[in-house]
């Protein structure tokens, strides 16, 4: 959706604010704030409304809120005195008073996917079995239970992918709609889906009550609804029941291997800890969150040694720490991750996520062909697993086939256009461009990666190297400074020791990268 006011255009899908042909730089939260004010221009928006919509209800100081509001005013040429577009009503809130015209762009040009330059994206009309599972409402009256409610919605998203012929929007994209006003037709257009599943969960002691309903995004009709009241210990059986009924409502069939989950469910307490750990991973792959998540996964396994999802969770943590240069014991981390994955797959050979994570690990440890095979196996089990496409794309440039990378990244973004791991996918896309000596395009991809996550150190250094080779020395040094703030121990020697492939084309690319890092001022060793 695009919003036109005065000489400005706010493109919600591309997350861009333009004045004529000029792109106006806007920080992510300031952009979200402006977008929210425009979408709610028919009313006065209070401080509490803004905090709930932009910060998900987290505590925000008045000073921080004022700073974001001033940034929005500055971006659109407004001021606190003139208030041409954004009017402050004392003790009431803010009101966007500019005249706005709304226009739409074709779905194939939406979101990050279009910014990657994809060809032939989503079709004009949604696929028959296309669906998004929106975050469930927490009716427990306890905010501390949000992680559990989110975990149930995520599991349902995974299960829906088992429906033969389905197209399911990724969990991370779906959760960008959390705590926001639902406009069925708009969500259908934005994600190019025909159906929407929403619901609520109330947990009281050892019992769960879940309400779910299926809606048609084109007609807003309620197609199916039901309520489930079960013991927490029966959660996975309840999910099977929901999916089975939903499959019948959509005239689809579950794939044979996923018709029923294993008869044995994990210990409820173990499952609870696993949900908590997964919620931390969704907040970001930082050393702090990773450490806390690993502890929770380990506690889950102590209660239930056969909790396969928790095993894979520990592997994700160790792989993230080992491959992200966060840890000095890289080899030990990757070895532990591989051991956990082998054990998990011995218990659950058809666990798609385990195959994906193992594929990621193999790709990052000089075994790209085997890694690609694991990712392809993951896609056989779950065709909507966006990350598997991204990892195959990464493997392509590691094996000297960078021309093939972007098509895989485009497919990943098609399945989950607002994924929490978008920063990694864009990092891979930039590396492929750099390998092809398309340095300006590499800069574009890495800048977009930083827009998605500014706390991933390696992206700053890669960007610095490409900027230095392009002659933008001052910008390169600024990127190095930002990277060293996040990772003070980074050096060219450390980066050299972290090579992920011995393919000649890949190694030649790295030699160019070392030269760029030196020009940018990265410490040698």
């Amino acid at each position: 959706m695009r919003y036109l006011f005065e000489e400005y255009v706010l493109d919600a899908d591309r997350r861009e604010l333009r004045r004529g042909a000029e792109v106006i730089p806007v920080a992510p939260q300031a952009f979200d704030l402006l977008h929210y004010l425009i979408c709610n221009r028919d009313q006065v928006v209070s401080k509490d409304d803004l905090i709930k919509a932009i910060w998900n209800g987290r505590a925000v100081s008045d000073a921080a809120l004022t700073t974001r509001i001033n940034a929005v005013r500055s971006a659109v040429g407004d001021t606190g005195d003139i208030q041409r577009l954004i009017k402050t009503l004392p003790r009431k809130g803010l009101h966007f008073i500019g005249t706005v015209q709304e226009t739409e762009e074709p779905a194939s040009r939406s979101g990050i996917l279009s910014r990657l330059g994809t060809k032939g994206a989503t079709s004009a009309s949604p696929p028959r079995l296309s669906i998004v599972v929106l975050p469930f409402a927490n009716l427990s009256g306890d905010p501390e239970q949000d992680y559990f409610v989110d975990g149930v919605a995520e599991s349902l998203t995974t299960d829906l992918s088992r429906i033969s012929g389905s197209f399911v929007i990724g969990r991370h994209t779906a959760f960008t709609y959390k705590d926001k006003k639902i406009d069925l037709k708009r969500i259908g257009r934005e994600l190019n889906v025909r159906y929407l599943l929403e619901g609520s969960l109330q947990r009281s002691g050892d019992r769960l009550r879940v309400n779910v309903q299926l809606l048609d995004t084109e007609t807003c009709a309620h197609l199916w609804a039901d309520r489930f009241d079960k013991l927490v210990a029966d959660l996975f059986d309840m999910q099977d029941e929901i999916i089975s009924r939903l499959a019948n409502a959509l005239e689809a069939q579950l794939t044979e291997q996923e018709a029923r989950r294993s008869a044995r469910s994990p210990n409820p307490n173990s499952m609870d800890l696993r949900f908590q750990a997964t919620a931390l991973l969704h907040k970001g792959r930082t050393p702090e969150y990773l450490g806390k998540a690993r502890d929770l996964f380990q506690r889950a396994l102590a209660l239930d040694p056969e909790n396969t999802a928790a095993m894979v969770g520990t592997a994700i943590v160790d792989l993230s720490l080992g491959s992200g240069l966060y840890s000095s014991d890289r080899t030990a981390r990757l070895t532990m991750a591989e051991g956990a994955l082998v054990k998990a797959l011995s218990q659950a050979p058809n666990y798609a996520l385990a195959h994906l994570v193992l594929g990621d690990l193999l790709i990052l440890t000089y075994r790209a062909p085997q890694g690609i095979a694991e990712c392809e196996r993951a896609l056989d089990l779950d065709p909507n697993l966006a990350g598997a496409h991204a990892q195959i794309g990464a493997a392509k440039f590691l094996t000297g086939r960078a021309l093939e990378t972007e098509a895989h990244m485009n497919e990943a973004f098609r399945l989950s256009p607002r994924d929490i791991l978008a920063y990694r996918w864009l990092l891979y896309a930039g590396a492929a461009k750099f390998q092809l000596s398309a340095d300006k395009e590499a800069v574009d991809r890495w800048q977009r990666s930083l827009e998605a996550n500014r706390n991933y150190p390696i992206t700053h250094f890669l960007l610095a190297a490409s900027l230095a080779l392009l002659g933008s020395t001052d910008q390169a040094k600024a990127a190095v400074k930002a990277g060293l703030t996040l990772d003070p121990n980074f050096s060219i020697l450390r980066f050299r020791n972290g090579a992920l492939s011995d393919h000649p084309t890949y190694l030649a690319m790295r030699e160019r990268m070392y030269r760029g890092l030196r020009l940018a001022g990265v410490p040698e060793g």
Side-chain angles (χ1 to χ4, degrees), residues 65-96:
L65 183 58
T66 300
T67 298
R68 298 298 185 277
I69 293 171
N70 289 340
V72 170
R73 291 190 190 278
S74 176
V76 297
D78 212 339
T79 69
D81 294 327
I82 298 175
Q83 297 191 6
R84 188 182 75 260
L85 294 172
I86 303 172
K87 186 174 181 62
T88 300
L89 301 176
R91 295 182 296 280
K92 292 184 179 180
L94 300 175
H95 189 192
F96 191 93

Side-chain angles (χ1 to χ4, degrees), residues 162-315:
R162 312 297 191 239
I163 297 176
S164 178
S166 66
F167 172 82
V168 184
I169 292 294
R171 178 260 187 210
H172 301 304
T173 291
F175 270 57
T176 62
Y177 294 93
K178 186 173 183 177
D179 296 326
K180 295 182 179 178
K181 188 188 301 183
I182 301 303
D183 182 331
L184 277 177
K185 292 187 176 182
R186 180 177 174 187
I187 291 176
R189 290 193 302 266
E190 288 180 349
L191 301 180
N192 200 41
V193 293
R194 181 171 293 179
Y195 302 108
L196 179 149
L197 188 73
E198 64 176 10
S200 63
L201 185 148
Q202 184 172 5
R203 182 180 183 182
S204 179
D206 63 349
R207 297 200 68 83
L208 287 173
R209 173 170 290 177
V210 177
N211 291 284
V212 291
Q213 59 180 339
L214 180 69
L215 304 108
D216 187 317
T217 62
E218 296 175 344
T219 65
C220 299
H222 286 66
L223 303 177
W224 172 80
D226 212 332
R227 185 176 78 183
F228 303 84
D229 194 348
K230 301 270 187 178
L231 290 171
V232 172
D234 297 329
L235 174 61
F236 289 115
D237 284 339
M238 178 174 61
Q239 288 180 190
D240 282 342
E241 187 176 349
I242 294 172
I243 300 307
S244 295
R245 293 187 194 178
L246 183 57
N248 289 331
L250 298 177
E251 298 180 351
Q253 293 184 359
L254 296 170
T255 55
E256 182 177 347
Q257 68 270 28
E258 292 293 337
R260 293 283 296 173
R261 285 184 179 270
S262 171
R264 181 182 180 280
S265 298
N267 182 295
N269 290 326
S270 177
M271 178 181 64
D272 193 275
L273 290 167
R274 196 266 293 181
F275 278 155
Q276 290 184 53
T278 304
L280 285 172
L281 291 183
H282 292 154
K283 290 183 178 180
R285 302 291 174 89
T286 66
E288 177 188 3
Y289 288 139
L290 289 169
K292 291 180 179 178
R294 196 179 199 285
D295 178 64
L296 288 165
F297 282 131
Q298 288 291 89
R299 287 168 58 192
L301 287 168
L303 291 172
D304 181 1
E306 296 185 19
N307 186 335
T308 308
M311 285 181 208
V312 175
T314 63

